[in-house]
Amino acid sequence: MTEGPNQKFSTLAVHAGAAPDPTTGARATPIYQTSSYVFNDVDHAASLFNLEAFGNIYTRLMNPNSNVLEERITALEGGTAALTTASGHGAQLLVFHTLMEPGDEFIAAKQLYGGSLNQFGHSFKKFGWTAKFADIDDPASFQAQVTEKTKAIFVESIANPGGIVTDLKAISEIAKAAGVPLIVDNTLATPYLCQPKEHGADIIVHSMTKFLGGHGNSLGGVLVDCGTFDWMSSGKFKTLSTPCDSYHGMVLGEAFGPIALAIACRVLGLRDLGPCISPFNAFMIATGMETLPLRMKQHCSNALEVARFLANHEKVAWVNYAGLPDNAYHERAKTYCPRGAGSVFTFGLKGGYDAGVNLVNSVSLFSHLANVGDTRSLIIHPASTTHRQLADDDRAAAGAGDDVVRLSVGIEDALDIIQDLEENL
Ligand SMILES: *Cc1c(COP(=O)(O)O)cnc(C)c1O
């Protein structure tokens, strides 16, 4: 069976983008471990290089394994096209490489994954791109940063690590009024929990390293073109609306309309910057995605049970999980993440820094490491690890105060997860 237009999420997660191998009949997509592909003849080669026909040329640009992933995530997010990359950060780089010129600005939430704060705030400066940061809980602070140089707004649907659920509708209205695309990092929610396109996203990015791959074994990233932004009538985005020197003057926005962003990220960004995913990683992540709905259900129900246990524990000062009814983001989570609030959240220990260090040192089922979205339960004490270089005040502002512990609750039995915490708190 192959996918049809009305299939439901769980069916698409298994089938979208994949079919039995035409040569061997292999049911699972084989790993196409090849750097390059033989042309039929010179005319065929010319039509591929001229973008007149789509087809495989060289694995930096495309590969059958990454193609499965691209079609699958496009179906799950309701987009028009997607492009996989070596990592989540690679996807972010390619999106901004397409949208920005030196001197341009974009506005990003200041409550983002720490790696994105570094990429935006430090490394992007070398390209002449300026990130201006705003407060996700105060949409007016995004509005206040809009200038004529603004080219995009970037937020996370569920923000890591604070467990913040973003008011996507409010932010998307600001992006629309400013005439710029809204980019949503949907890593922590996945399309199973949140559908950013329905709430006004124009571009979606993921670290597939996390819940999409889901097993903590492969790096990967993806960008999804929602097909909603009209690059030609905007005219603000030179790469998309003016003749492209490296394709004989082709105007990508005109030639490719609703998939122009994904095409430009591939045929310019990926071609020239090079962060392509390996066929093996694409195979691993496509396999992981088949069970995304099953895993997310278990992640969310386990996280809720663990959060309830912690909220009632005498040594715990507070729990920030949007799945709990008294949480500040609970109502928003019901709107944007109706199937659950994810499984990454923070809590505070009354015993402060030392209690945090003791807990991560003594747990046994939980793994002490810097990742999220694994089948296994993961724990980290940000103040002594990921955020230890920051000054005390900056740490607290980033949601990584001395007492904060972050969990990524896995899919083991909830009773065992809770027992590990109970014995070691
Ligand atoms: C991990 C992560 C990234 C970066 O992805 P990599 O695959 O590690 O490059 C971006 N955003 C969020 C929310 C993440 O958790």
Side-chain angles (χ1 to χ4, degrees), residues 263-288:
I263 295 277
C265 289
R266 185 191 301 277
V267 304
L268 299 171
L270 192 58
R271 184 193 68 175
D272 298 344
L273 301 176
C276 62
I277 191 169
S278 80
F280 183 73
N281 280 20
F283 169 86
M284 293 298 279
I285 294 168
T287 303

Side-chain angles (χ1 to χ4, degrees), residues 31 50 54 66 121 150 175 287 335 396:
I31 301 172
N50 288 340
F54 289 120
S66 37
T150 306
T287 303
T335 306

